Amino acid sequence: MEAREEGFLKQRQVLLLFVFLGGSLAGSGSRRYSVAEEKEKGFLIANLAKDLGLRVEELAERRAQAISKGNMQYFQLSHQTGDLLLVEKLDREELCGSTEPCVLHFQILLHNPLQFITNELEVIDINDNAPEFFENAMQLKVLESSSPGTVIPLGNAVDLDVGRNGLQNYTVSPQSHFHVRTRRRRDGRKYPELVLDRALDREEQPELSLTLTALDGGSPPRSGTAQVHILILDINDNAPEFTQSLYEVQVLEKSPVGSVIVTVSASDLDAGNFGAISYVFFHASEEILKTFQLNPTTGDIQLVKALDYETINTYEVDIEAKDGGGLSGKCTVIVQVVDVNDNPPELTLSSVNSPIPENSEETVVAVFSVADLDSGDNGKATCSIQNDLPFILKPSVENFYTIVSEGALDRESRAEYNITITVTDMGTPRLTTQHTITVQVSDVNDNSPAFTQTSYTLFVQENNSPALHIGTISATDSDSGSNAHITYSLLPTHDPQLALSSIISINAENGQLFALRALDYEVLKVFEFHVGATDQGSPALSSQALVRVLVLDANDNAPFVLYPLQNASAPYTELLPRAAEPGYLVTKVVAVDRDSGQNAWLSFQLLKATEPGLFSVWAHNGEVRTSRLLSERDAPKHRLLLVVKDNGDPPRSASVTLHVLLVDGFSQPYLPLPEVARDPAQDEDVLTLYLVIALASVSSLFFLSVLLFVGVRLCRRARAASLGGCSVPEGHFPGHLVDVSGTGTLSQSYQYEVCLTGDSGTGEFKFLNPVIPNLFMEGSEREVKGSPHRRSSFVVS
């Protein structure tokens, strides 16, 4: 790129050399063209092909080009049209400055043959520049004593345009004191002069602001402005003068030290040192000098000592203002001290009555007085207490007040009151004094003890250890002190059979209940009594609560076998026919347990048998049944050992020994009749009938035995005097003792009356008639009476 530029410069130098040295080769005379400045790039100056008399094709063939002086190229020759065009905007002021006219020289170079044509372009000025001052703001100082006609030179303006478009004249505004005169220098430049028209007065107008305008002759005309600021210099022709001859100010007596209470102000129409004012006290007393301080520059009067309305309520201060020329002025300041509400009300308690009984009415709680050191409204005060308290405030003589209870109080609701006495004066601003007194409310025994529950339920395991803690009752008392101290006691019971004092005791201080002896569930399952709670007030108040004690059962009783009896003198023997089918009911072991719940749930188990596998025992109902058919090889006599066990923890048990004797022909319903041919269906019906009759008989015998046993036991306990005396047990016979089901079993729907003989040495059972009649009882009785083996054991009637 640099090499190309160097080649281009060398080419231009050679061309210029040809232009200046070969001027004799020019073929035609020079032409002058004109163009206004600031034309856009590409502006058409002239058609050179037409001016030179050449065809457009000829210009291209001869490689015509426009060459300007210097390094700047302002023109461009179009080979297509032959037009001479501007390469860029022309600025006359930049090209020629103030030279007029502004002419640019350029040559047209043609080849084949070589020819130079010299041309000129005149750049015509347009009014594109406004006059411009070297200083946009001028500051002048003029003595106020200057006489009219005084001339003051001003800075001139410059306009880059020439001719009529250049600077023409100056004007000034406003023209109240001055006018401007336009002058011309030898070089043709024009400058302004300011001429004073009338006398100045600095005190009237200390300064002037003028606008100086420079105008050119263009169309439209352009102008430039500059601000002229004229300071009028003073002479000491005026004395200081206060804005007020008398200042009156009111100052609160509690105004802080250092505060400005008033500012005096004096003015001097003069300026500079002649107008500088300083302030001083004029013939001030010592008290004024101790109380006030005067700022000599600003005129502020400050407090240097606190004011006291009661000591001095008015001050008169004289102030003098002096300027730098020795002239002075005076004024007077009247300071009136204003009394302020600076004393809060004072409250003095004469007496406080605390504590007060809760049942007292309209009791004087406190007596106090109110005073305020201020006077007038500042010394008047109002007094009040809270509205949500059961107390009222009553005024008394002069400034005394009393606080009285409005009615009876309730210590249990609120034991203490904080009464805030508020005293407010009537001043501005209002001052308030508050004082709080505490009033205690003393207790009166007006509340009975209250149990936490209306009734208590306690659970005690039977066979407990003596002095066992079984529970605690609790009562509260809303009162305080001895009125709230509670003692507990057992109240007399209305049940003559319940010796409460031998069973239960109570701790009088904390309400703990103790069982004095071991309890037996089987004797006493539940009992109730009342407990009293009494405070120690005067008179004493009390209340009571119901206590219900439930005795919980323990497994302390072993099962007792009712049937068959085990204490008989002769062993009990059951008869079993050899023709019995598997599942045949041999007998049923009946046992009871005095406990309750799961402690009384009984289960039966066969421990030992002469022929294992021949018999089985149902675990839940105690039925002894055959497990298989009997054979000739089976022993005729069998001994069974059974265990009855309850479900307690630990479990208790009892053993039962049974003797079973195998006999022939005992159960005839199972044998077919030889002489009569029967239908098999009829045989099944007969067998069923006999089986039902047998089961009914066994059930009747069982329940009669149970009732007989229970009667014997009760008769022995009652120690009946007569032989053969009989008693029936009281209470409901437990229904859960016998639980059987299935064909050939004993049903719970039978209920028997049992009587036991008191003096029987053999312990025989006498089975009485069942309460619910059995249709098959007669057949069963006849069959049983026919057996000689059963007569020694029981009799059915």
Side-chain angles (χ1 to χ4, degrees):
M1 188 70 181
E2 294 179 355
R4 183 179 299 176
E5 291 179 355
E6 290 178 358
F8 179 76
L9 292 175
K10 290 180 180 180
Q11 183 179 2
R12 290 188 62 186
Q13 292 174 358
V14 172
L15 290 175
L16 290 175
L17 179 62
F18 278 106
V19 170
F20 291 109
L21 296 180
S24 61
L25 299 178
S28 61
S30 63
R31 291 176 180 272
R32 172 175 285 197
Y33 299 97
S34 65
V35 63
E37 64 173 331
E38 302 296 334
K39 292 296 183 181
E40 296 295 330
K41 176 182 178 181
F43 180 77
L44 175 63
I45 299 174
N47 189 289
L48 288 182
K50 182 178 179 182
D51 292 343
L52 295 177
L54 298 176
R55 290 179 290 107
V56 176
E57 295 82 1
E58 188 176 357
L59 288 178
E61 292 174 357
R62 298 185 66 178
R63 294 179 292 170
Q65 64 182 106
I67 301 173
S68 301
K69 291 183 179 181
N71 295 329
M72 297 298 297
Q73 290 295 322
Y74 302 108
F75 313 105
Q76 180 182 2
L77 181 59
S78 174
H79 290 171
Q80 287 79 17
T81 61
D83 292 335
L84 182 64
L85 305 175
L86 283 178
V87 175
E88 61 181 12
K89 282 185 180 182
L90 299 180
D91 187 357
R92 195 205 69 81
E93 289 76 26
E94 181 179 353
L95 294 174
C96 302
S98 60
T99 303
E100 181 68 18
C102 179
V103 179
L104 297 179
H105 299 275
F106 67 97
Q107 288 79 31
I108 302 299
L109 175 61
L110 300 174
H111 296 273
N112 298 324
L114 182 64
Q115 184 179 1
F116 292 95
I117 301 174
T118 301
N119 295 284
E120 295 179 350
L121 178 65
E122 180 182 359
V123 181
I124 301 174
D125 183 43
I126 63 173
N127 191 22
D128 58 345
N129 292 283
E132 184 177 355
F133 286 92
F134 291 104
E135 298 180 29
N136 291 328
M138 307 176 204
Q139 187 169 2
L140 306 176
K141 295 182 180 180
V142 181
L143 289 173
E144 66 173 328
S145 58
S146 298
S147 60
T150 302
V151 178
I152 304 170
L154 299 174
N156 65 296
V158 176
D159 194 335
L160 297 180
D161 295 326
V162 294
R164 186 172 181 82
N165 293 330
L167 179 63
Q168 298 300 319
N169 62 351
Y170 296 91
T171 61
V172 68
S173 63
Q175 298 181 352
S176 58
H177 292 79
F178 296 91
H179 73 274
V180 67
R181 184 168 58 189
T182 303
R183 303 294 296 271
R184 181 186 295 270
R185 290 190 177 91
R186 293 180 181 181
D187 57 1
R189 289 186 299 172
K190 298 178 181 179
Y191 65 93
E193 289 181 345
L194 196 63
V195 180
L196 179 64
D197 291 335
R198 63 185 181 92
L200 300 174
D201 186 357
R202 198 207 66 81
E203 289 74 28
E204 179 183 350
Q205 194 170 3
E207 58 185 31
L208 296 173
S209 292
L210 306 178
T211 300
L212 181 62
T213 304
L215 298 171
D216 62 15
S219 180
R222 291 177 176 267
S223 63
T225 60
Q227 299 298 320
V228 179
H229 187 70
I230 301 175
L231 296 178
I232 301 175
L233 301 180
D234 183 45
I235 61 175
N236 193 22
D237 56 348
N238 293 282
E241 184 177 350
F242 282 95
T243 56
Q244 297 176 226
S245 61
L246 178 64
Y247 291 85
E248 292 183 351
V249 60
Q250 293 181 341
V251 183
L252 299 178
E253 63 174 323
K254 290 300 179 180
S255 298
V257 174
S259 59
V260 177
I261 61 172
V262 68
T263 298
V264 296
S265 177
S267 60
D268 193 320
L269 298 179
D270 297 325
N273 188 43
F274 299 139
I277 299 175
S278 60
Y279 302 93
V280 294
F281 287 118
F282 184 75
H283 299 304
S285 64
E286 184 178 356
E287 183 63 31
I288 292 176
L289 296 177
K290 289 181 179 180
T291 307
F292 304 101
Q293 179 180 351
L294 177 62
N295 189 312
T297 304
T298 62
D300 294 338
I301 299 178
Q302 292 178 305
L303 289 177
V304 294
K305 188 182 75 170
L307 300 177
D308 188 359
Y309 175 83
E310 288 72 25
T311 304
I312 301 176
N313 55 18
T314 302
Y315 295 89
E316 184 174 348
V317 183
D318 292 328
I319 307 297
E320 182 182 28
K322 293 182 178 181
D323 63 15
L327 301 180
S328 64
K330 295 181 180 62
C331 73
T332 301
V333 178
I334 304 297
V335 179
Q336 294 180 349
V337 182
V338 178
D339 185 26
V340 296
N341 188 25
D342 54 348
N343 294 292
E346 295 180 357
L347 186 148
T348 304
L349 280 173
S350 301
S351 65
V352 177
N353 184 18
S354 177
I356 59 175
E358 62 177 320
N359 59 352
S360 59
E361 298 182 3
E362 295 187 1
T363 302
V364 176
V365 175
V367 177
F368 63 92
S369 61
V370 175
D372 196 320
L373 298 178
D374 296 322
S375 59
D377 290 339
N378 296 336
K380 297 178 181 179
T382 60
C383 187
S384 63
I385 60 174
Q386 303 100 302
N387 294 327
D388 57 345
L389 298 181
F391 300 97
I392 56 176
L393 182 65
K394 292 183 177 181
S396 184
V397 295
E398 296 183 354
N399 292 328
F400 281 86
Y401 295 86
T402 59
I403 299 177
V404 182
S405 61
E406 193 171 5
L409 305 177
D410 186 4
R411 191 206 64 83
E412 288 71 34
S413 299
R414 189 168 179 178
E416 180 180 285
Y417 293 91
N418 292 320
I419 305 176
T420 300
I421 306 171
T422 302
V423 183
T424 305
D425 62 20
M426 305 300 291
T428 303
R430 296 189 175 187
L431 299 180
T432 300
T433 299
Q434 289 186 335
H435 186 81
T436 300
I437 61 174
T438 300
V439 178
Q440 303 285 342
V441 181
S442 61
D443 185 47
V444 175
N445 191 26
D446 54 351
N447 291 281
S448 302
F451 282 94
T452 56
Q453 300 174 215
T454 57
S455 63
Y456 295 83
T457 301
L458 306 178
F459 298 90
V460 184
Q461 191 77 27
E462 69 169 327
N463 302 322
N464 58 285
S465 60
L468 175 67
H469 175 226
I470 62 174
T472 302
I473 61 172
S474 178
T476 59
D477 196 317
S478 301
D479 296 323
S480 63
S482 61
N483 295 331
H485 185 75
I486 299 174
T487 57
Y488 301 91
S489 62
L490 298 176
L491 299 181
T493 179
H494 300 289
D495 187 0
Q497 297 181 358
L498 180 63
L500 184 63
S501 60
S502 63
I503 301 176
I504 298 296
S505 69
I506 188 170
N507 189 317
E509 295 297 327
N510 53 29
Q512 292 181 349
L513 293 172
F514 299 90
L516 297 179
R517 59 180 175 84
L519 301 178
D520 188 355
Y521 172 82
E522 289 71 29
V523 176
L524 185 63
K525 293 181 177 59
V526 61
F527 60 95
E528 296 179 349
F529 58 91
H530 286 84
V531 176
T534 306
D535 60 24
Q536 294 185 1
S538 179
L541 301 178
S542 63
S543 61
Q544 62 182 10
L546 176 65
V547 179
R548 190 168 186 262
V549 179
L550 299 178
V551 182
L552 302 179
D553 183 42
N555 192 25
D556 57 346
N557 292 282
F560 179 79
V561 179
L562 295 177
Y563 179 83
L565 291 175
Q566 298 299 300
N567 58 352
S569 58
Y572 185 80
T573 303
E574 293 286 350
L575 300 180
L576 175 63
R578 286 184 176 272
E581 296 290 334
Y584 180 82
L585 177 64
V586 179
T587 187
K588 182 171 183 176
V589 178
V590 179
V592 295
D593 196 317
R594 297 183 63 192
D595 297 322
S596 64
Q598 66 177 8
N599 295 330
W601 296 350
L602 301 181
S603 62
F604 302 86
Q605 183 180 1
L606 179 60
L607 288 183
K608 190 176 181 182
T610 305
E611 187 71 30
L614 179 58
F615 300 96
S616 63
V617 179
W618 286 21
H620 299 293
N621 56 16
E623 292 180 353
V624 179
R625 295 178 179 269
T626 59
S627 301
R628 61 177 174 82
L629 290 173
L630 298 175
S631 65
E632 296 296 334
R633 290 176 295 179
D634 291 329
K637 189 174 183 180
H638 294 267
R639 182 176 181 271
L640 305 180
L641 180 61
L642 285 78
V643 173
V644 183
K645 185 185 299 183
D646 61 21
N647 197 36
D649 184 21
R652 293 177 177 269
S653 62
S655 61
V656 181
T657 302
L658 294 177
H659 294 273
V660 180
L661 182 63
L662 302 183
V663 296
D664 294 326
F666 177 73
S667 182
Q668 295 300 327
Y670 291 95
L671 300 178
L673 297 177
E675 65 276 6
V676 180
R678 292 185 175 88
D679 190 0
Q682 292 179 356
D683 292 340
E684 289 180 4
D685 294 337
V686 172
L687 290 175
T688 303
L689 176 62
Y690 286 145
L691 180 59
V692 171
I693 293 173
L695 290 176
S697 301
V698 173
S699 300
S700 300
L701 292 174
F702 166 71
F703 280 106
L704 288 175
S705 300
V706 171
L707 293 175
L708 181 61
F709 173 77
V710 173
V712 170
R713 299 287 293 181
L714 293 177
C715 288
R716 286 180 180 178
R717 288 185 181 180
R719 302 181 185 276
S722 61
L723 295 177
C726 180
S727 63
V728 180
E730 296 181 355
H732 177 69
F733 197 82
H736 66 274
L737 298 179
V738 180
D739 185 10
V740 296
S741 62
T743 304
T745 61
L746 298 176
S747 174
Q748 283 185 326
S749 62
Y750 290 91
Q751 185 173 0
Y752 296 88
E753 295 179 358
V754 180
C755 183
L756 302 179
T757 57
D759 59 343
S760 176
T762 61
E764 291 182 341
F765 282 84
K766 290 187 179 181
F767 289 83
L768 303 182
N769 293 328
V771 176
I772 300 176
N774 195 322
L775 297 177
F776 304 101
M777 183 62 72
E778 294 180 0
S780 178
E781 289 176 357
R782 289 195 298 268
E783 187 172 336
V784 173
K785 287 182 180 180
S787 178
H789 302 283
R790 306 284 285 188
R791 292 174 184 170
S792 61
S793 299
F794 57 87
V795 176
V796 178
S797 58

